[in-house]
């Protein structure tokens, strides 16, 4: 998330780098349920924490954090909600009369969009104890009014993931250029396997990764951020060029992937039913741990060598409702999740692909994490993700446009015209 592009060197300096889906530590009295009501919390003085970390390993790691925070004397009730329900219900949670106190979510533009509506708690005092965090993290966590509104706990990378054993069986090696990528797709397809997995069922936002990467590879990260901030047009010829290039890969997409979510697309990849999957490291929370040693990834292919290389490195963490029942208790909890100790608890109990935002926190020392860290360090630019560089309100416009494109790629002009019209309504709201 987040459209506030940070200086690369500042962002990377001291960062224990790269995490996955959201290190969103928990609380004392842990209860987990699928109820999305967002009812705010208990009569016993405990804070209510609304979490979107519903994948099995992430949920289990949150419960360990809940347990650990309870040992400090804090009281927090954890309510885990399916990720897609959470995303659509978040505005309702925040504007309700009795909202949950704390939320797992994203830094940058998304958090700022809620702060501009005066819905988030000022947590500047929490940052007084976070002086070891880099300046870039501070920028991502600061609203337009200068108040700190977010506490980051981890960040992660996106890549083209695959099973090493399958690539070896099919006789292919990770490509570096777009032409090499299409050649690998052709080879895998000749083995009777759909080369590219995708999971759009209940998670249509997964398609945005393709738009993001093609746009930053063809037009560059600055253009991408300006477009998503409403300073460009989706019917611009430069955007059409993104879709024209995308069409070259469409024959290699798994046609079944439109009907199931990314979790099932993960299973298809692991089962050898697809060859590759453009996804964030959070997908590992839906994968058996014994399969991770066979998982690798390669950088999204280079299309135009003259365009500075950018990578997606989303930052996750927490923000709190301005209507929180006990703001000081909220700040105490957020100060705890900002510690290296808390973040390492989550890392150890999750899939291990998350990396603490706290520079003093230790990530898992695995080849996969080291490789991801190096890729982000080498990037000239960093982006977050479509909704994180724009807003949660703009994401549905992308979902509609991109899923329609995948179904009707010959209607690019009309799709982009409709997308621009939908985006204008969001920006004017």
């Amino acid at each position: 998330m987040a459209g506030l592009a940070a200086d690369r060197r500042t962002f990377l300096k001291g960062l224990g780098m790269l995490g996955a889906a959201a290190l969103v530590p928990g609380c004392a009295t842990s209860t987990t349920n699928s109820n999305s009501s967002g009812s705010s919390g208990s009569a016993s003085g405990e804070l209510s924490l609304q979490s979107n970390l519903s994948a099995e390993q992430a949920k289990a790691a949150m419960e360990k954090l809940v347990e650990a925070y309870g040992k400090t004397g804090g009281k927090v009730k954890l309510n885990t909600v399916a990720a897609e329900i959470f995303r659509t219900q978040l505005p309702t949670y925040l504007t309700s009369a009795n909202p949950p106190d704390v939320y797992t979510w994203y830094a940058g533009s998304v958090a700022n969009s809620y702060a501009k509506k005066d819905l988030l708690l000022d947590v500047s005092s929490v940052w007084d104890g976070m002086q070891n965090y880099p300046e870039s993290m501070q920028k991502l966590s600061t609203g337009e009014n200068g108040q700190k509104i977010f506490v980051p706990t981890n960040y992660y990378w996106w890549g083209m993931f695959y099973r090493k054993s399958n690539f070896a069986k099919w006789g292919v090696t990770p490509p570096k250029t777009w032409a090499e990528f299409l050649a690998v797709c052709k080879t895998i397809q000749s083995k009777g396997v759909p080369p590219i997995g995708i999971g759009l069922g209940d998670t249509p936002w997964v398609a945005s990764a393709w738009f993001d990467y093609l746009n930053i590879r063809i037009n560059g990260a600055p253009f991408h951020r300006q477009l998503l901030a409403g300073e460009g047009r989706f019917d611009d010829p430069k955007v059409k060029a993104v879709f024209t290039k995308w069409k070259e890969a469409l024959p290699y997409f798994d046609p079944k992937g439109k009907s199931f979510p990314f979790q099932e697309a993960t299973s298809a990849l692991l089962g050898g039913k697809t060859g590759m999957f453009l996804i964030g490291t959070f997908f590992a929370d839906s994968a058996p741990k014994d399969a991770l040693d066979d998982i690798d990834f390669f950088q999204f292919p280079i299309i135009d060598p003259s365009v500075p290389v950018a990578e997606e490195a989303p930052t996750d963490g927490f923000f709190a409702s301005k209507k929180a029942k006990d703001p000081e208790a909220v700040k105490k909890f957020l100060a705890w999740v900002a510690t290296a100790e808390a973040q390492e608890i989550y890392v150890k109990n999750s899939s291990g692909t998350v990396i603490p935002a706290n520079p003093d926190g230790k990530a898992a020392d695995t080849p996969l994490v080291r490789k991801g860290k190096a890729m982000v360090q080498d990037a000239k630019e960093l982006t977050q993700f479509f909704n994180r560089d724009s807003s949660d309100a703009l994401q549905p416009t992308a979902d509609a446009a991109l899923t329609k494109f995948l179904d009707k790629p010959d209607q690019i002009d009309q799709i982009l015209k409709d997308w621009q019209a939908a985006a204008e309504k969001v920006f004017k709201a």
Side-chain angles (χ1 to χ4, degrees):
M1 109 154 282
L4 310 179
D7 174 80
R8 172 181 171 266
R9 288 184 297 274
T10 306
F11 184 88
L12 295 172
K13 183 179 180 182
L15 266 191
M17 265 140 245
L18 287 160
L23 165 34
V24 180
C27 345
T29 315
S30 167
T31 65
T32 303
N33 66 63
S34 58
N35 186 334
S36 64
S37 66
S39 61
S40 159
S42 44
S44 60
E46 63 188 0
L47 301 177
S48 54
L49 168 60
Q50 203 80 344
S51 170
N52 70 316
L53 299 179
S54 54
E56 183 177 353
Q57 292 187 50
K59 180 179 171 184
M62 281 290 290
E63 290 168 352
K64 289 290 185 182
L65 280 164
V66 164
E67 190 179 315
Y69 188 63
K71 293 177 181 177
T72 72
K75 294 183 178 181
V76 182
K77 181 179 181 179
L78 174 64
N79 183 44
T80 300
V81 178
E84 285 308 295
I85 295 175
F86 184 103
R87 180 166 71 88
T88 58
Q89 291 298 315
L90 182 55
T92 302
Y93 297 153
L94 287 167
T95 55
S96 66
N98 188 31
D101 298 303
V102 187
Y103 307 77
T104 65
W105 210 231
Y106 314 137
S109 295
V110 167
N112 191 50
S113 68
Y114 294 118
K116 286 192 292 186
K117 297 177 181 178
D118 200 29
L119 297 173
L120 301 186
L121 182 68
D122 178 2
V123 295
S124 299
S125 62
V126 175
W127 275 87
D128 291 343
M130 298 171 61
Q131 297 307 306
N132 61 328
Y133 279 65
E135 179 65 23
S136 59
M137 285 287 190
Q138 295 191 41
K139 289 180 180 179
L140 280 174
S141 304
T142 303
E144 288 184 1
N145 62 0
Q147 294 179 349
K148 296 293 190 303
I149 54 173
F150 188 84
V151 172
T153 50
N154 73 89
Y155 68 104
Y156 62 99
W157 75 96
W158 284 69
M160 198 72 71
F161 286 84
Y162 64 94
R163 289 202 76 146
K164 292 181 283 188
S165 58
N166 284 338
F167 263 38
K169 179 173 65 177
W170 298 326
V172 295
T173 56
K176 294 184 178 180
T177 67
W178 185 252
E180 291 173 353
F181 173 66
L182 295 180
V184 167
C185 288
K186 186 175 182 180
T187 299
I188 295 175
Q189 192 176 63
S190 72
K191 308 296 182 181
V193 177
I196 303 171
I198 189 139
L200 304 182
D202 295 331
T203 54
W205 51 266
V206 172
S208 293
W210 280 89
F211 175 77
D212 287 356
Y213 261 110
L214 286 164
N215 200 24
I216 62 180
R217 289 288 185 263
I218 294 170
N219 296 314
F223 174 84
H224 182 67
R225 287 190 288 262
Q226 290 166 7
L227 176 67
L228 270 54
E231 298 168 10
R233 296 183 61 87
F234 287 99
D235 54 5
D236 187 309
K238 288 186 175 181
V239 178
K240 183 176 180 179
V242 168
F243 288 84
T244 301
K245 182 61 65 174
W246 195 349
K247 280 183 70 174
E248 297 176 6
L250 288 187
Y252 303 114
F253 276 69
D254 177 14
K256 296 179 181 177
K258 299 173 186 177
S259 62
F260 51 68
F262 82 83
Q263 294 91 339
E264 290 186 42
T266 297
S267 298
L269 177 75
L270 296 176
K273 296 179 181 178
T274 59
M276 300 170 282
F277 189 15
L278 177 61
I279 195 69
T281 59
F282 56 83
F283 88 98
D285 285 320
S286 301
K289 281 200 171 185
D290 59 5
L292 293 181
D293 288 343
D294 192 38
I295 294 293
D296 203 348
F297 76 96
F298 58 87
Q299 178 186 54
F300 192 91
I302 301 299
I303 296 173
D304 183 347
S306 69
V307 175
V309 175
E311 302 295 346
E312 301 252 69
T315 303
D316 296 339
F318 300 89
F319 54 52
S321 168
K322 190 170 184 178
K323 296 180 184 177
K325 300 176 295 300
D326 188 343
E328 292 309 309
V330 167
K331 293 174 186 178
K332 181 179 179 181
F333 171 67
L334 293 178
W336 182 78
V337 299
T339 65
E341 175 191 8
Q343 294 176 15
E344 287 174 6
I345 290 171
Y346 185 88
V347 170
K348 291 174 183 176
N349 290 285
S350 69
S351 64
T353 55
V354 299
I355 301 183
N358 189 315
D360 297 330
K362 295 181 176 63
D365 186 26
T366 65
L368 192 71
V369 170
R370 290 196 298 270
K371 184 177 178 180
K373 178 178 177 178
M375 184 179 74
V376 172
Q377 286 178 321
D378 290 342
K380 301 299 181 185
E381 295 264 8
L382 295 174
T383 53
Q384 293 286 299
F385 190 77
F386 187 92
N387 69 313
R388 301 178 182 221
D389 283 319
S390 57
S391 68
D392 283 341
L394 195 65
Q395 184 66 57
T397 71
D399 296 346
L402 302 183
T403 53
K404 187 173 183 180
F405 166 72
L406 291 171
D407 281 332
K408 300 178 179 180
D410 293 330
Q411 297 183 14
I412 294 177
D413 290 336
Q414 187 61 48
I415 290 170
L416 296 184
K417 181 180 177 181
D418 293 343
W419 193 2
Q420 176 59 28
E424 286 175 4
K425 292 179 181 178
V426 172
F427 288 122
K428 290 178 181 177

